Amino acid sequence: MAAERRLALQVDGRVRRTALHSDSMICGGCGWTVPLGARPFRCANAGRGDVDHVLVRRVAVRPDPFFDEEPDPFVRYRRLTYAWHDAMTRGVSDGEFVDVVRRLEERIEAVDGRSFAVTPLRSLQSLWIKDETTNVAGSHKSRHLMGVLIWLEVMSRFDRDLADASLAIASCGNAAFAAAVLARAAGRALDVFVPAEASEEVVDCIQALGARVTRCARVDGLAGDPAVMQFRAAVAAGALPFTCQGSENGLVIEGGSTLGWELVSQLLERNATIDRLFIQTGGGALASAVIAAFDDAVTAGVLPHLPRMHAVQTTACSPLARAWERIQQRGIDYAITHRSELMWPWEGVPASVAEGILDDETYDWVAVARGMLASGGHPVLVSEEQLLAANRLAGPSVSVTGSAGLAGALAFPSDESTAVLFTGSNR
């Protein structure tokens, strides 16, 4: 039985048991379920054993939102989110929930000059391109964080500590900028932890929005991203995880899933299907979120099956691709309970023109691997030359990281219908 459906798992010699309820967040590693009224950020058993503890959303899925005409994805797909279901269990009305989203959108537009709306989908022969470069803060990262922010705004009325706490994020670029925009709009303090080598231009943009930036240098002999380590220390000290790693906050996945739900809706409107989807993958939250959205569409009966999912990584840093052979050999259940054998920090300091996918680890690797296994997909590695060539085709408005999925598609030529995501603008 798949790990996320288990009700018991041996962790540090003790059996953990939990009762499932509908519309919940459940740990894909040990089966622990977020109690009603608790914060759905991390599994209570995180750090115990060699288990991959990541919260996964479990809600009832209906086909209706896929055919709605509401232009705001966070209103249109609200009933597919744990945030909405959690609010309903606490007595918040649907109208009140929508009002929270609308007010946030107004404040975001005042800061960034735009709010969340449907982003373009265009076709080029058998290639579909979903363009996120016109989104809030210029990338898909804002979707992930908006999912968290909506929950925080709704639940702050029940938990004063949520209203007063500062936010924290570890990022080197688009995620940090998106976090700064959304934090400014919500009137919340934000600490941003960036690598020591982060560009002055990026840091200046973040600070101009009122966020506090801390540069984090690597320490000899200490593996892992130093920015993530300092972020975790800030969270341990009381900050709220406002970051784009699903392992740190399960809500970031359903925020990002609005991109996938929207892509499915646009394909349905055009009576189109896709055979393959190439997704640039660093920490893995984007791929995890989009795979989850397509899985929802299959569950709702609006799609017959998943397209083949391909996680695209650069040869300069590919922790998921490195783990892939072992995942295939030993199975996903083994991978979940033997994390360190398959996923560990990338050795050395990687460098690439696609700097936004240079995460030391693919934090949401299990969900991405499961999606590739279920769909018949696999990771695709691309070189620096392939990344640059794809970016020239994408055009000057798209960053190299943002067009990395296209590099993957071009590296795997096929006559099948293919989709890629342009996820970030060129600053």
Side-chain angles (χ1 to χ4, degrees):
M1 184 178 292
E4 76 274 15
R5 299 184 186 278
R6 295 182 196 146
L7 298 184
L9 177 75
Q10 191 75 17
V11 179
D12 287 349
R14 291 169 290 177
V15 175
R16 297 282 171 176
R17 297 185 181 275
T18 183
L20 292 176
H21 54 80
S22 61
D23 306 327
S24 60
M25 294 284 280
I26 179 173
C27 178
C30 70
W32 178 81
T33 301
V34 177
L36 294 175
R39 298 178 181 182
F41 300 158
R42 298 190 78 196
C43 174
N45 296 321
R48 294 178 177 172
D50 196 15
V51 177
D52 194 73
H53 294 283
V54 179
L55 295 181
V56 181
R57 161 190 137 278
R58 290 286 180 266
V59 302
V61 179
R62 298 177 53 120
D64 311 57
F66 293 100
F67 303 100
D68 198 331
E69 295 184 357
E70 164 63 47
D72 186 329
F74 290 96
V75 174
R76 179 174 184 172
Y77 302 109
R78 67 190 182 280
R79 291 182 176 86
L80 297 178
T81 67
Y82 173 79
W84 183 85
H85 287 279
D86 195 14
M88 298 304 105
T89 64
R90 302 190 196 215
V92 177
S93 71
D94 179 61
E96 290 174 315
F97 187 92
V98 171
D99 285 344
V100 168
V101 177
R102 301 284 194 208
R103 288 196 299 272
L104 277 175
E105 295 282 17
E106 291 175 359
R107 286 145 61 186
I108 290 167
E109 186 170 9
V111 173
D112 194 55
R114 51 195 162 185
S115 58
F116 290 97
V118 176
T119 55
L121 177 68
R122 60 181 186 272
S123 63
L124 182 62
Q125 297 179 341
S126 62
L127 177 66
W128 292 95
I129 301 170
K130 176 70 168 165
D131 190 350
E132 284 288 292
T133 61
T134 60
N135 209 343
V136 170
S139 82
H140 72 284
K141 298 290 189 179
S142 55
R143 290 187 187 256
H144 290 281
L145 297 169
M146 183 63 164
V148 179
L149 187 58
I150 290 170
W151 186 89
L152 288 175
E153 290 293 294
V154 172
M155 299 307 160
S156 288
R157 67 179 69 182
F158 304 105
D159 184 346
R160 191 64 216 171
D161 289 340
L162 286 175
D164 297 335
S166 62
L167 309 177
I169 185 172
S171 169
C172 64
N174 281 336
F177 184 68
V181 168
L182 268 60
R184 178 69 172 266
R188 289 176 174 268
L190 173 68
D191 282 296
V192 179
F193 299 95
V194 303
E197 62 274 14
S199 74
E200 290 293 341
E201 182 181 2
V202 169
V203 170
D204 288 346
C205 289
I206 296 167
Q207 290 178 327
L209 288 161
R212 299 182 292 261
V213 177
T214 300
R215 291 182 181 271
C216 308
R218 291 184 181 269
V219 178
D220 290 342
L222 187 61
D225 187 335
V228 172
M229 294 177 189
Q230 291 205 37
F231 153 79
R232 286 174 176 163
V235 171
L240 300 178
F242 197 57
T243 193
C244 288
Q245 292 101 7
S247 54
E248 308 298 333
N249 190 327
L251 292 172
V252 306
I253 302 303
E254 68 177 21
S257 287
T258 60
L259 190 162
W261 294 326
E262 192 174 290
L263 174 55
V264 170
S265 296
Q266 290 172 309
L267 290 169
L268 292 172
E269 289 168 4
R270 293 160 171 78
N271 293 316
T273 59
I274 56 173
D275 300 304
R276 297 182 186 273
L277 177 57
F278 292 81
I279 310 172
Q280 46 270 54
T281 303
L286 172 62
S288 174
V290 173
I291 288 169
F294 271 78
D295 191 54
D296 290 337
V298 173
T299 300
V302 299
L303 289 182
H305 55 77
L306 292 173
R308 292 184 182 88
M309 299 292 182
H310 298 283
V312 179
Q313 296 199 299
T314 168
T315 53
C317 184
S318 51
L320 177 59
R322 178 181 61 187
W324 181 245
E325 183 177 351
R326 295 186 185 187
I327 293 171
Q328 291 180 298
Q329 291 174 345
R330 301 180 183 182
I332 198 71
D333 284 355
Y334 181 91
I336 290 170
T337 55
H338 297 78
R339 187 185 195 279
S340 63
E341 292 184 27
L342 290 92
M343 181 57 59
W344 63 90
W346 195 254
E347 295 84 355
V349 182
S352 172
V353 290
E355 60 184 16
I357 54 173
L358 291 181
D359 298 73
D360 289 63
E361 300 178 51
T362 303
Y363 300 99
D364 293 279
W365 67 292
V366 168
V368 182
R370 182 182 286 113
M372 290 192 292
L373 288 169
S375 66
H378 55 78
V380 176
L381 288 178
V382 292
S383 67
E384 298 299 290
E385 293 76 15
Q386 289 170 314
L387 287 164
L388 289 169
N391 189 247
R392 286 192 291 270
L393 290 174
S397 65
V398 186
S399 69
V400 179
T401 296
S403 61
L406 177 60
L410 295 175
F412 194 82
S414 170
D415 293 332
E416 295 176 302
S417 178
T418 298
V420 300
L421 313 171
F422 285 176
T423 54
S425 59
N426 198 17
R427 300 187 194 285

